[in-house]
Amino acid sequence: MLIRLGFEITHSFPEPTPMLLTLNLHDSRRADIAIAKELQTSPAVPLQQYHDGFGNVCTRLVSPAGSFTVSSDMVVRDTGWTDAVVPTAQQIPVYQLPEETLLYLLGSRYCETDKLVEKAWDLFGHTPTGWARVQAICDYVHDRIQFGYEFANATKGAAQALEEGRGVCRDFAHSAVALCRCMNIPARYCTGYIGDFGVPPSTAPMDFSAWFEAFLDGQWYTFDARHNFPRIGRVLIARGRDAADVAISNTFGPNTLERFEVWSEETFVEALIPR
Amino acid sequence: MLIRLGFEITHSFPEPTPMLLTLNLHDSRRADIAIAKELQTSPAVPLQQYHDGFGNVCTRLVSPAGSFTVSSDMVVRDTGWTDAVVPTAQQIPVYQLPEETLLYLLGSRYCETDKLVEKAWDLFGHTPTGWARVQAICDYVHDRIQFGYEFANATKGAAQALEEGRGVCRDFAHSAVALCRCMNIPARYCTGYIGDFGVPPSTAPMDFSAWFEAFLDGQWYTFDARHNFPRIGRVLIARGRDAADVAISNTFGPNTLERFEVWSEETFVEALIPR
Amino acid sequence: MLIRLGFEITHSFPEPTPMLLTLNLHDSRRADIAIAKELQTSPAVPLQQYHDGFGNVCTRLVSPAGSFTVSSDMVVRDTGWTDAVVPTAQQIPVYQLPEETLLYLLGSRYCETDKLVEKAWDLFGHTPTGWARVQAICDYVHDRIQFGYEFANATKGAAQALEEGRGVCRDFAHSAVALCRCMNIPARYCTGYIGDFGVPPSTAPMDFSAWFEAFLDGQWYTFDARHNFPRIGRVLIARGRDAADVAISNTFGPNTLERFEVWSEETFVEALIPR
Amino acid sequence: MLIRLGFEITHSFPEPTPMLLTLNLHDSRRADIAIAKELQTSPAVPLQQYHDGFGNVCTRLVSPAGSFTVSSDMVVRDTGWTDAVVPTAQQIPVYQLPEETLLYLLGSRYCETDKLVEKAWDLFGHTPTGWARVQAICDYVHDRIQFGYEFANATKGAAQALEEGRGVCRDFAHSAVALCRCMNIPARYCTGYIGDFGVPPSTAPMDFSAWFEAFLDGQWYTFDARHNFPRIGRVLIARGRDAADVAISNTFGPNTLERFEVWSEETFVEALIPR
C-alpha cells in the first residue's frame, strides 16, 4: 500500500532559537520513500543533518524570531501487513544476548528499572518467559493505565504512570519498556506515524505515536501496549531508550506552539497532489 | 608519576549469574598502562569484552555459583598534573556545538533536566556564561549537598539529591551535570580511580569516584563538585550520561557482596610487587 | 540555486542478480533535497539501505532476470557558490592530524602510494607546503594526463595513469590523491553530480564525475585535477579511499548495460515536472 | 595454555619522526591478557591510542632522533585449540550477506579482484561452493607460490604474486583473499602472532604472521594458505582488507631498521620472568 504522511508544526519565537528535530524518517524506511518533500521550513533556513548515537536522522537549525513552520510531506510504500505475532518467540538468556542489545536492559530517564524491579518480578515472575511474558506486560499496562490526552506530562516516567494509572501513548510505552527490562528482556522505545488503517477512524486529531520493540529469538518485535493488538502501517521515525532520546523537537529557548498537524493516510498515487 | 591501582571485589551467588562489568580502564588511558593484570577472576571464567555505545570497555561473564572474585592490578603512568583550570573557557552556543555533544544536553535517568530547568535558570541565569557558570554550579552543589556514605541510594537522582541536600559523590556529579545541561552546557558523568594525591590521606576506605566533564571552548574539561578543587591523578574508567550508563557492575540475579576493596597509590617501580 | 538531477540506468540480466548501488545522495546533502524520487526501480523490487564504513548510503537489491532500470530524480538546493579557494590553507604535520584522517594517508587499490612515493618527492619535495602543494599536484596531473572516454579502464590505477598519460576523470582523481598521500597530505576520492554551471555546455553525454578532497588547516577542501578550476554545483554521492570503495554499482553476475543517462541542470521550481 | 609473546623493534631516525603502529593486541583478545607490558618505548615518549575504521587498536607517537625502540611483552591465555575445520560450512549468497561483510567482497590495494576475476572463475567455478571452495583456493595458492623471505616486496599484490609464483606469508594471504572475493566469498586479511605450537620448531627467526578469514555460514573462519593446515595459538593483532590497512608500522620519514625480534612461546606462569 501507499501511505501519504507528513506534518506541519508552527512555533512562534521571541528571538532566534536553536532547534534539534527528530522528524525525518528512520534510515530503515528511506528506501520506501516514493516521493517526498522530506523536511522544509518556512521561512527557509539552512538545515544540518546528522545521525545520533542510536542511528536516528536528526536535523539542526536555528529558527529566526517570529512564526516558524517545519513541514514534511511524503508518499511511502508499505507492505500493508500487520505487526508480526510470533507467540513461539523465545526469550534469550542475558549471557547470550548480542552486545548491542545490552543497553536496552538498563534504566533510563523515563524507564526507572531501579524503582520497578521488585514489582515486576512479583507481577510477572511466574508467567511463561518469552513472547507470552511480553504480552502479559502489555496486557497489564493496557489495563492499568487509562488513556487521556489531558494526562500528558513531560516529567512523568513509568513509575509514576503505573502508580497514577493515567497517561498518553508514551506512558504506555515507557511502562511496558521498563517492565520488560526489569525481567531481563531488552526493550526500546519507538516513535513514528500510525494511521487509522484497518480500524475505525479516530475522532481525536492525529498525532505521532509511540510504541516499543522487545528483543526475542534474536530479533526485535513490535509491541504496542496502548492499542494492544497488531496494527497496519507503522512508519518509524526514531528509536531510543525512551522519549528523552527521541523527542520530536528540542527547542533551546522560549516559544509558543501555534499549530501542530500530523497526517498518515492511504493514497493511491506516487505524487504529492495538494491535500 | 606512577600509580598502582586496582580492585578486588567478591560476590557470593546462589546460582550461575550473568554479569556486565565496566571495570577496565578507558581506552584513552590504555597507552599509559606500564604493567597490568587488567581483569582476572577467581575462579577463572571466560571473559568477553566489547565497547558500549559511549566507547567504554565492558566485560561480560557468567559467574559460577558460590564465591566469585573479580580483580585488577596495574601500574599506570600519569603526568601528575592537576585538573586544568581555564577560567577564560567560553561557552559554545547550542547552534555551534559539535553533533557528538548534543546527547549530553538531554535528560537522562539520574539527571532529570525536565524537573530542574526552571530552578537552574533562576539560580544561574544571571551568572557569567562559560567556565564561571560551571564553577558557580559546582559551588552551589558543593555547598548544597552534605556528603555521607549513609546517604547512598541507588534510585536517587539529581532532583532528589538537591531537594534532600544529602548524597555521595555520584549525587554531586549528577546534580552538577543536570544543572549544566539545563543551562545548555553539555555535561557528562565520569567514573574512575582517584587516590589521595596532594591531599591529606582520607580515613574512609577507598572507593571508585565520580566526577564530570563540561564542554567549553571546543573541549571537555574536568570538574568535581564533590571535592570542588583541582585534583591530581584521576584515572578514567568510563563516561556516560549518568551512573545508569556506567555502573561498575550489572548483575542479573540475586547475590551478596562479600568484599570490596579499591586502591590507587603512588608507586616508583613498573612492576606488580605483591602489595 | 535549484538543481534538477538524477539518472536512469538499465541493465539486462540473464538471471536474478544481486546488486549493490552507491547512488543515493550523501547524507551531508540530504537536508538540501527539495523534492525527490530518490531511488526507484522498474520493475519494483524491495530495496534495503545501509551505510558503508565511510558513511555513504548504499542500496542492496536483487534484480530479476530481464531488463531492469534504476532511476532517481530530484530537486536539490545549492548555494551556487564555487569551490572554495584558500591559498593560505596550511598543511597539518602528520603528528597533529586528526585520527579519522590517517586512513587517507595510506595506499589503496587505485592509489598505489608505495609505487609513487619516490617520484612524488622528486616532483613536489621543493614546492611550498599546504594549498600550493596540492595545487602543484593538480597542475601536474592536469597537464600530464590527456582526457578521453576511450581511455577508461577498470583496472587502471594512478601509477599506470601517470605512466600512460591518458585517462578519464577517475584517473585524474586517483593520480592526484595518490600523490597527495605520498606527500603526507590526507586525500580522499569523491563521486557525484556536476552540471555545466558557469561553463560552456559540454557536447559529451553527461556522466557522474569524480573529484577529490585534501585535508588542510583542519578541514577537507575540494580539488578537481580534471577541470582544475573552481566549479559550481557539485552534489556529492559518496566518498572513499578510491573508486573501489564507491563504485556506483557492484553487480554480482553477468549483465549488459543497455542505457545510461545522467542529468544535472538548473531548475527554478521545487517540483518534478516531467522532463 | 599460556603464551608469552612480544616483540622488540629498534629503528634509527635522523630526525624526529611520526609513527603509526598497529602492534597492540586486537580488542577481541584483550580479555585474555594475563599480564602485560603492552607497549613501551625507549626512550619513553607520549603514546596516543585510537581505533581505526576496522576496529584495530593503533598507536601514534613521534620518535625522537636517534635510536628508538618499541617493545611489548605479555602473557596471554589461549584455549590451545586448533583452527576450526568445518567442511559443512555453507557459502552465503551475496543477497543474504550481512552488510558489514560487503566491504570484504571489493578490491583493495593488494587484492586486485578486477585483475583476477576471470582467472578465479576459470579455476574455481566448478568446485563445490562454501568451505570446499575456500579450501580449493588455499590449496591452489599453497601449491602455486613458493615461500622465501627473499621474495618479500612491499609493492607486490596478489596478481603479481600469483604470476611470479613466489612470496612471503602476506602474499599467500593476499592471493587467497583476492580469489575468495572474486568468487563472492567475503575474505579479510589478518596479522598477528603464531608460535611453533604442535609443529617442529622453525629454524627461521620468528616474525609476525599473516593469515586470513573467510565468511561462511554466518561467521568468519580462519584459513592459512601459507601453512595450509590447522594451527594452534594464533593471537590476533589486526584485521583489514589487506596489508595496506594493517601495516605494523607506518613511518613518516627516513629511517633504518636496526633490530627486529618477535617471540611467541608457551609459558607456564602468569608472570613476566626475564627472558
Side-chain angles (χ1 to χ4, degrees):
Chain A
M1 68 188 283
L2 293 173
I3 303 176
R4 168 87 173 257
L5 51 76
F7 61 85
E8 199 167 320
I9 302 174
T10 304
H11 289 84
S12 173
F13 294 97
E15 51 186 307
T17 306
M19 300 182 80
L20 301 181
L21 307 176
T22 308
L23 281 168
N24 288 74
L25 290 201
H26 192 264
D27 274 338
S28 61
R29 295 307 295 258
R30 192 174 180 185
D32 296 325
I33 299 175
I35 193 159
K37 297 185 174 197
E38 193 169 356
L39 200 69
Q40 312 219 338
T41 67
S42 169
V45 297
L47 305 178
Q48 200 181 331
Q49 289 189 347
Y50 66 99
H51 286 81
D52 69 13
F54 300 93
N56 302 308
V57 183
C58 302
T59 305
R60 303 173 68 173
L61 58 85
V62 180
S63 166
S67 182
F68 180 71
T69 299
V70 182
S71 65
S72 180
D73 198 6
M74 26 183 57
V75 176
V76 173
R77 292 180 213 98
D78 193 87
T79 58
W81 301 343
T82 62
D83 301 329
V85 178
V86 186
T88 56
Q90 299 296 309
Q91 190 167 329
I92 316 260
V94 170
Y95 68 90
Q96 289 184 329
L97 285 170
E99 292 159 10
E100 63 274 19
T101 66
L102 298 173
L103 177 70
Y104 300 103
L105 290 177
L106 308 181
S108 60
R109 173 65 191 94
Y110 298 113
C111 301
E112 309 96 335
T113 49
D114 45 6
K115 294 188 179 168
L116 292 167
V117 65
E118 281 183 53
K119 180 198 195 78
W121 281 92
D122 284 351
L123 287 168
F124 307 108
H126 299 290
T127 60
T129 60
W131 185 279
R133 186 164 279 183
V134 180
Q135 188 53 55
I137 288 172
C138 287
D139 292 345
Y140 174 80
V141 171
H142 185 73
D143 292 346
R144 173 82 193 146
I145 299 184
Q146 180 192 354
F147 182 88
Y149 283 115
E150 66 277 27
F151 306 137
N153 173 353
T155 69
K156 195 188 292 187
Q160 187 184 340
L162 287 170
E163 197 179 305
E164 289 181 6
R166 292 197 297 246
V168 290
C169 62
R170 73 174 219 153
D171 299 301
F172 287 81
H174 286 150
S175 300
V177 164
L179 293 171
C180 286
R181 291 182 191 167
C182 289
M183 305 308 290
N184 297 339
I185 301 169
R188 61 188 186 188
Y189 181 92
C190 299
T191 181
Y193 297 88
I194 183 163
D196 295 327
F197 307 126
V199 296
S202 165
T203 57
M206 189 163 285
D207 195 352
F208 296 107
S209 188
W211 60 87
F212 77 103
E213 292 174 343
F215 191 81
L216 298 171
D217 253 7
Q219 64 185 96
W220 292 97
Y221 287 101
T222 297
F223 289 88
D224 182 342
R226 154 94 160 87
H227 297 107
N228 207 24
F229 72 90
R231 292 290 298 262
I232 292 169
R234 298 182 199 276
V235 179
L236 184 70
I237 290 176
R239 295 188 192 104
R241 293 215 263 167
D242 61 29
D245 289 335
V246 293
I248 61 166
S249 72
N250 281 289
T251 306
F252 296 89
N255 63 83
T256 314
L257 182 64
E258 294 194 336
R259 176 152 187 262
F260 183 90
E261 194 189 352
V262 178
W263 55 90
S264 179
E265 304 155 347
E266 187 162 14
T267 183
F268 301 93
V269 288
E270 295 202 356
L272 296 174
I273 299 160
R275 297 175 73 234
Chain B
M1 69 188 284
L2 293 173
I3 303 175
R4 168 87 174 259
L5 50 76
F7 61 85
E8 200 168 317
I9 302 174
T10 303
H11 289 84
S12 173
F13 293 98
E15 53 186 304
T17 306
M19 300 182 80
L20 301 181
L21 307 176
T22 308
L23 281 168
N24 288 74
L25 289 201
H26 192 264
D27 274 338
S28 61
R29 295 307 295 259
R30 191 174 180 185
D32 296 325
I33 299 174
I35 193 159
K37 297 186 172 196
E38 194 170 355
L39 201 69
Q40 311 218 338
T41 67
S42 168
V45 298
L47 305 178
Q48 200 181 333
Q49 289 190 346
Y50 66 99
H51 286 81
D52 69 14
F54 300 92
N56 302 309
V57 183
C58 302
T59 304
R60 302 174 67 174
L61 59 84
V62 180
S63 166
S67 181
F68 181 71
T69 299
V70 183
S71 64
S72 179
D73 198 5
M74 26 181 60
V75 176
V76 173
R77 287 179 281 265
D78 193 88
T79 58
W81 301 342
T82 62
D83 301 330
V85 179
V86 185
T88 55
Q90 300 295 308
Q91 190 167 329
I92 315 261
V94 170
Y95 68 90
Q96 289 183 331
L97 285 171
E99 292 157 10
E100 61 275 19
T101 65
L102 298 173
L103 177 70
Y104 300 102
L105 290 177
L106 309 181
S108 59
R109 172 67 191 94
Y110 298 112
C111 301
E112 310 95 335
T113 48
D114 46 5
K115 293 187 179 168
L116 292 167
V117 65
E118 281 184 54
K119 179 198 195 80
W121 281 91
D122 284 352
L123 287 169
F124 307 108
H126 299 289
T127 60
T129 60
W131 185 279
R133 186 164 279 182
V134 180
Q135 188 53 56
I137 288 171
C138 287
D139 292 345
Y140 174 80
V141 171
H142 185 73
D143 291 346
R144 173 82 194 146
I145 300 183
Q146 180 192 353
F147 182 88
Y149 283 116
E150 66 276 26
F151 306 137
N153 173 353
T155 69
K156 195 190 291 188
Q160 187 184 342
L162 287 170
E163 197 179 306
E164 289 180 6
R166 291 197 297 245
V168 290
C169 63
R170 73 173 220 153
D171 299 302
F172 287 81
H174 285 150
S175 300
V177 163
L179 293 171
C180 285
R181 290 182 190 166
C182 289
M183 305 309 290
N184 296 340
I185 301 169
R188 61 189 185 187
Y189 182 92
C190 300
T191 181
Y193 297 88
I194 184 164
D196 295 328
F197 308 125
V199 297
S202 166
T203 57
M206 190 163 284
D207 195 352
F208 295 107
S209 189
W211 59 87
F212 77 103
E213 292 174 342
F215 191 82
L216 297 170
D217 253 8
Q219 65 184 97
W220 292 98
Y221 286 101
T222 297
F223 290 88
D224 182 341
R226 156 82 200 290
H227 298 107
N228 207 24
F229 72 90
R231 291 289 297 262
I232 292 169
R234 298 182 198 275
V235 179
L236 184 70
I237 290 177
R239 295 190 192 102
R241 293 213 265 169
D242 61 28
D245 288 336
V246 294
I248 61 166
S249 72
N250 280 289
T251 306
F252 296 91
N255 63 83
T256 314
L257 181 64
E258 295 194 335
R259 175 151 188 264
F260 183 90
E261 195 188 352
V262 178
W263 55 91
S264 178
E265 303 155 347
E266 187 161 14
T267 183
F268 301 91
V269 288
E270 296 203 353
L272 295 173
I273 298 161
R275 297 175 74 235
Chain C
M1 68 187 284
L2 294 173
I3 303 175
R4 168 86 173 260
L5 51 75
F7 60 85
E8 201 168 317
I9 302 173
T10 303
H11 289 85
S12 173
F13 293 98
E15 53 185 305
T17 305
M19 298 181 82
L20 301 181
L21 306 176
T22 307
L23 281 168
N24 288 74
L25 289 201
H26 192 263
D27 274 338
S28 61
R29 294 308 295 259
R30 192 173 177 184
D32 295 324
I33 299 175
I35 192 158
K37 298 187 173 194
E38 194 170 356
L39 200 67
Q40 312 218 340
T41 66
S42 170
V45 297
L47 304 178
Q48 200 182 331
Q49 288 188 349
Y50 67 98
H51 286 80
D52 69 15
F54 300 92
N56 303 309
V57 184
C58 302
T59 304
R60 300 174 68 173
L61 58 85
V62 179
S63 166
S67 182
F68 180 71
T69 298
V70 182
S71 65
S72 179
D73 198 5
M74 25 182 59
V75 175
V76 173
R77 286 180 281 265
D78 194 88
T79 58
W81 300 343
T82 62
D83 302 329
V85 178
V86 186
T88 57
Q90 299 296 307
Q91 190 167 330
I92 316 259
V94 170
Y95 69 90
Q96 289 184 330
L97 285 170
E99 291 158 12
E100 63 273 20
T101 65
L102 297 174
L103 177 69
Y104 299 103
L105 290 177
L106 308 181
S108 59
R109 172 67 191 93
Y110 298 112
C111 302
E112 310 97 333
T113 49
D114 45 5
K115 293 187 180 168
L116 292 167
V117 63
E118 280 184 54
K119 179 196 195 83
W121 281 92
D122 284 350
L123 287 169
F124 308 107
H126 299 289
T127 61
T129 61
W131 184 281
R133 186 166 279 182
V134 180
Q135 189 54 56
I137 289 171
C138 288
D139 292 345
Y140 174 80
V141 171
H142 184 73
D143 291 348
R144 172 84 195 145
I145 300 184
Q146 179 192 353
F147 181 87
Y149 284 115
E150 67 275 27
F151 306 138
N153 172 353
T155 69
K156 194 190 290 188
Q160 187 184 341
L162 288 170
E163 197 178 307
E164 290 180 4
R166 292 197 297 244
V168 291
C169 62
R170 74 175 220 151
D171 299 301
F172 287 81
H174 285 150
S175 299
V177 163
L179 293 170
C180 285
R181 292 182 190 167
C182 288
M183 304 308 290
N184 296 340
I185 302 169
R188 61 188 186 188
Y189 181 93
C190 300
T191 180
Y193 296 88
I194 184 163
D196 294 327
F197 308 125
V199 295
S202 166
T203 55
M206 189 163 285
D207 194 352
F208 295 107
S209 187
W211 60 86
F212 76 103
E213 292 175 342
F215 191 82
L216 297 172
D217 253 7
Q219 64 184 97
W220 291 98
Y221 287 100
T222 297
F223 289 88
D224 182 342
R226 153 96 159 84
H227 298 106
N228 206 24
F229 72 90
R231 292 291 296 263
I232 293 170
R234 295 183 200 276
V235 179
L236 185 70
I237 290 176
R239 294 189 193 102
R241 294 213 265 168
D242 61 29
D245 289 335
V246 294
I248 62 168
S249 72
N250 280 290
T251 306
F252 295 90
N255 63 84
T256 314
L257 182 64
E258 295 193 336
R259 177 151 184 264
F260 183 90
E261 195 188 353
V262 178
W263 55 90
S264 178
E265 305 155 346
E266 188 161 15
T267 182
F268 301 91
V269 288
E270 295 203 355
L272 295 175
I273 298 161
R275 298 175 74 236
Chain D
M1 68 188 284
L2 294 173
I3 304 176
R4 167 89 173 258
L5 50 77
F7 61 84
E8 201 168 318
I9 302 174
T10 304
H11 289 84
S12 173
F13 293 99
E15 52 185 307
T17 305
M19 298 181 81
L20 302 181
L21 306 176
T22 307
L23 281 168
N24 288 74
L25 289 201
H26 192 263
D27 274 339
S28 61
R29 294 308 294 260
R30 192 174 178 183
D32 296 325
I33 299 175
I35 192 158
K37 298 187 173 195
E38 194 170 356
L39 200 67
Q40 312 219 339
T41 66
S42 170
V45 297
L47 305 179
Q48 200 182 329
Q49 288 189 347
Y50 66 98
H51 286 81
D52 69 15
F54 301 92
N56 303 310
V57 184
C58 302
T59 305
R60 300 174 69 175
L61 58 85
V62 179
S63 166
S67 182
F68 181 71
T69 299
V70 182
S71 64
S72 180
D73 199 7
M74 25 182 58
V75 175
V76 173
R77 292 181 214 96
D78 193 89
T79 57
W81 301 343
T82 61
D83 301 329
V85 178
V86 186
T88 56
Q90 299 296 309
Q91 190 166 329
I92 316 261
V94 170
Y95 68 91
Q96 289 184 330
L97 284 171
E99 291 158 11
E100 63 273 20
T101 65
L102 297 174
L103 178 68
Y104 300 103
L105 289 178
L106 308 181
S108 59
R109 172 65 191 93
Y110 298 113
C111 302
E112 308 97 332
T113 48
D114 45 6
K115 292 187 180 169
L116 292 167
V117 63
E118 281 185 53
K119 179 197 195 81
W121 281 92
D122 284 350
L123 287 169
F124 307 107
H126 299 291
T127 61
T129 60
W131 184 280
R133 186 165 281 183
V134 180
Q135 188 54 55
I137 289 172
C138 287
D139 292 344
Y140 174 79
V141 171
H142 185 73
D143 291 347
R144 171 84 194 145
I145 300 184
Q146 179 192 353
F147 181 88
Y149 284 114
E150 67 275 26
F151 306 137
N153 173 354
T155 68
K156 194 191 292 188
Q160 187 184 342
L162 287 170
E163 197 179 305
E164 289 180 5
R166 292 198 296 244
V168 291
C169 63
R170 74 175 220 153
D171 299 302
F172 287 81
H174 285 150
S175 299
V177 163
L179 293 170
C180 285
R181 291 182 189 167
C182 289
M183 304 309 289
N184 296 339
I185 302 169
R188 61 189 186 188
Y189 181 92
C190 300
T191 180
Y193 296 88
I194 183 163
D196 294 327
F197 308 125
V199 296
S202 166
T203 55
M206 189 163 285
D207 194 353
F208 296 107
S209 188
W211 60 86
F212 76 104
E213 292 175 343
F215 191 80
L216 297 171
D217 252 6
Q219 64 184 98
W220 292 97
Y221 287 100
T222 297
F223 289 88
D224 182 341
R226 157 81 202 289
H227 298 107
N228 207 26
F229 72 91
R231 291 290 296 262
I232 292 169
R234 296 182 199 276
V235 179
L236 185 70
I237 290 176
R239 293 189 194 104
R241 294 213 264 167
D242 61 30
D245 289 335
V246 294
I248 61 167
S249 73
N250 281 289
T251 306
F252 296 90
N255 63 83
T256 314
L257 181 65
E258 294 193 335
R259 176 152 185 262
F260 183 91
E261 195 189 352
V262 178
W263 54 91
S264 178
E265 304 156 346
E266 187 160 15
T267 182
F268 300 92
V269 288
E270 295 203 355
L272 296 174
I273 299 161
R275 299 176 73 235

